[in-house]
Amino acid sequence: MKGQRGSGAAGQQNRKAPRSERADVGANRGSPFVQPGPDPSNPLHVQPIQFVGSFPDPQVRVEPELPEIAFIGRSNVGKSSLLNVLVGRPGLARVSGSPGKTTLLNFYRLPGMYLVDLPGYGFARASKGARAGYRKLVNDYLRTRRSLAGVVWLLDVRHQPSNDDLEMQKLLAESGRPVLAVLTKADKLTRSALPIRVHELSQALGLQQDQVEITSSHSKTGIAELATSIVAAAAGENV
Ligand code: GDP
């Protein structure tokens, strides 16, 4: 049938509408296609946000000095996806196909705070030297960063904590910083399996219910609640 497009009666029906006829398209007269707007329950959604830079130095000076909320978790835990839905910017942090590549601190400025994306840990192919370098970077940042107001620690709800997760838990405890454990990818479990896994994971990590947020970047579960906790932590309230 090649070459027959646009000829005869069928071609007439399929003709492209002139501009004047097309003007109504998208005017939302009962169209199911609506522009997703800001989520009013999420205080971080579609706020002005600026990528400040990627830095290798945990003592880097960023101006102005504002409270920082750091995000940390194992590679592939869903950190980039979570950051993107939190602020309602799908392309902000790159959802990676190749985990373990970044070794820099990425700073994003929001009104009144910075979100700091720390590099993911537990990358299986990392060399011993790279692991030591990573540990030093994160440890220095957690221990010495004056403006660090809270840490969002991400864990995949489906898995038991890895050795790297347990090592991170130790670093976080030693740093004395307020930490909120965020369980990611909740949509991957059934309604009945989810609470069982949350309980098992909380037990394994010795966490109370109010220290844990259950989230999914795909279904948006828990995202507005997490955003509210982040705003509170940046304001100096306990996470
Ligand atoms: P990162 O390495 O921690 O930054 O993780 P990414 O955000 O790059 O995500 C790693 C993979 O997990 C990607 O394939 C994502 O699409 C997927 N992912 C992230 N968050 C979710 C989620 O909430 N639900 C599901 N089902 N998959 C997710």
Side-chain angles (χ1 to χ4, degrees), residues 73-82 84 93-100 117 120 154 158 184-188 215-220:
R74 199 177 174 185
S75 289
N76 224 33
V77 71
K79 182 158 53 68
S80 310
S81 306
L82 188 87
N84 291 342
R94 208 165 56 84
V95 174
S96 93
S98 50
D117 183 8
L154 285 82
R158 297 168 299 167
T184 62
K185 309 193 188 181
D187 62 284
K188 293 238 187 194
T215 66
S216 162
S217 299
H218 285 197
S219 70
K220 311 275 198 305

Side-chain angles (χ1 to χ4, degrees), residues 168-197:
M168 182 52 62
Q169 184 177 32
K170 202 161 157 256
L171 288 189
L172 289 168
E174 286 166 3
S175 76
R177 306 290 188 167
V179 175
L180 180 63
V182 167
L183 309 185
T184 62
K185 309 193 188 181
D187 62 284
K188 293 238 187 194
L189 295 180
T190 61
R191 251 169 219 263
S192 52
L194 183 61
I196 298 168
R197 276 301 304 145

Side-chain angles (χ1 to χ4, degrees), residues 73-119:
R74 199 177 174 185
S75 289
N76 224 33
V77 71
K79 182 158 53 68
S80 310
S81 306
L82 188 87
L83 276 165
N84 291 342
V85 293
L86 258 181
V87 297
R89 308 288 165 109
L92 185 75
R94 208 165 56 84
V95 174
S96 93
S98 50
K101 287 269 167 69
T102 47
T103 51
L104 300 167
L105 314 170
N106 290 314
F107 280 67
Y108 301 92
R109 182 174 169 191
L110 281 166
M113 73 175 94
Y114 293 103
L115 303 182
V116 183
D117 183 8
L118 301 182

Side-chain angles (χ1 to χ4, degrees), residues 126-150:
S127 67
K128 233 179 169 180
R131 278 174 191 268
Y134 175 88
R135 199 174 194 283
K136 179 163 171 31
L137 172 75
V138 171
N139 206 13
D140 285 355
Y141 178 82
L142 292 176
R143 281 174 179 256
T144 63
R145 191 80 186 168
R146 198 175 49 184
S147 34
L148 179 57

